[in-house]
Amino acid sequence: MGKAFKYGDNVDTDVIIPARHLNTSEPSELAKFCMEDIDKDFVKNVKSGDVIVAGENFGCGSSREHAPIAIKASGVCCVIASSFARIFYRNSFNIGLPIFESKEASSAIQMGDEVSVDFETGEITNITRGEKYKAQPLPEFMRAIIDADGLINYIKKNIK
Amino acid sequence: MGMTMTQKILAKHAGVESVTPGQFIEVELDMVLGNDITAPVAIKEFEKMGATDVFDKSKVSIVPDHFTPNKDIKTAQQCKFIRDFSMAKGIENYFEIGEVGIEHALLPEKGLVVAGDVVIGADSHTCTYGALGAFSTGVGSTDMAAGMATGKAWFKVPSAIKFNVTGSFQKWVSGKDVILHIIGMIGVDGALYKSMEFSGEGIKNLSMDDRFTIANMAIEAGAKNGIFPVDEQTVEYIREHSKREYVAYEADGDAEYDEVYDIDLSSIRPTVAFPHLPENTRTIDEVGDITIDQVVIGSCTNGRISDLRAAAEVLKGRKVKKGVRVIIFPATQSIYLQAMKEGLMEIFINAGAIISPPTCGPCLGGHMGVLAEGERCVATTNRNFVGRMGHVESEVYLASPAVAAASAVAGKIAGPEDLE
Ligand code: SF4
């Protein structure tokens, strides 16, 4: 459970983690600059368990895995958006950042709302407004990767 | 039901007769690519995985192009890290700066991708090789790590949008204008998760360089890949650059498409994308009065020889407007050399431009031409997001090399036709 940070459509990877900070791949370093070019107070205000909520095409742009890594390392527990850019989508699963597609939740949740997400069912509860929304359930194949705790462990099991 | 060109390539590489959109498959990879930003993360994941060797030393490419020549100590460390890994694992396609270039211009030029291949790259513009009739797409570092270790990747089979191309260009119009026009029409998420398949009698009027530019920006419409049919020009290009066997796939006659668009090349005007999204397009006739501070001509989108020729044709005998900084960055060493032989570099220098070594540099606001607060740049690159080339209050306008060069002379956004 945590507070929602709300953004609009087409939040791109250049604002999530600007290229000038890509001379490192350390999660804790990256987290210091997370969302810097769209919300310079984000890093100051974010707490463990908080949620990012956004509109269409979240994470568009570069393939930098640094983007979901920075978000995860900042303490955010999941991202909810109307839709995700495809590379960001697969990167998030691969590194173990849960993401949920829900147009309903994306439009209803406002900045600062208290939100909780059931990762099993995809049910999103807005505590501030007393509302519930449904996110798309995860495809089976994704579940397999998530259940193995990310692609690395999934492969590790199969590499032997 | 028939399959699209992309679906056929994926089915073959998954070892199955046919695939349908939405199906999850695991495919064999012909090439796995990474650069100096994404490979360090991938290598750490590769090691965490417990992998010892890469699946095939000839099918991994590691290209330090983003912050090279090393711009600071941290990037030098990152480059050293990937160099050491490449040497230790015997990776054949690691390119040191004397032979390097921007990855998406370099791989086709070195003959490392041919028609029918499946390629993943930990860089979003990996979709560029669709110009050669290959399936290629951008992934993240973890996918790259898994690809290096196993030679495989998972995909959800995409549906497709078809672009039926007819006609031929007016003077000063090129591939960049086509793709900006398309993104303006369908939006930055217009092809989300899908393939963009190009076909039609007008394809023959697109040079290979035009096709590379168009496929390069498929990701800017959200697409999984962009792909062109294999014709005489493709075969000639592959023969010239590679010794590898290629396979030409064709979409089935009854393949299904989510949408079909007609693109008449003769009706396309030079097009500019305004800040801060590639979909904010206007034709050159609608741009109004936008004064500029910098022009960059190059990148994996438009740093090839025909791009430099177009820019030189405009700049020949002209001068860059006082107060405008012009940076030309050829995409590879061999393009650089070719431009020298043709006298293009002399034209650029005489016009008042500076020439950068092959590097991504200014394209991602990395180095070699970063923008200050409030500055405006016309760039032949592919992204104009907030802060992409520097300060968060700077602005990037995307255009073709011809328009970028004309803007450099005019000191404001202009087409070659607007110059005296
Ligand atoms: S030139 Fe720009 S878009 Fe192309 S690979 Fe380099 S940073 Fe990416």
Side-chain angles (χ1 to χ4, degrees), chain B residues 35 65-66 102-104 123-125 216 220 298-301 329 359-364 381-383 388:
Chain B
N35 58 45
D65 56 356
H66 279 62
I102 300 173
E103 53 202 299
H104 309 308
D123 189 278
S124 57
H125 295 102
N216 175 269
E220 259 41 81
S299 84
C300 63
T301 316
F329 58 125
T359 175
C360 292
C363 172
L364 78 161
T381 57
N382 47 38
R383 287 201 174 123
R388 171 71 180 181

Side-chain angles (χ1 to χ4, degrees), chain B residues 327-357:
Chain B
I327 302 164
I328 314 265
F329 58 125
T332 67
Q333 287 281 73
S334 76
I335 294 167
Y336 197 118
L337 195 58
Q338 181 65 25
M340 271 171 63
K341 285 184 190 149
E342 293 182 18
L344 310 184
M345 296 312 196
E346 214 173 307
I347 294 172
F348 295 141
I349 292 172
N350 284 334
I354 196 171
I355 298 155
S356 144

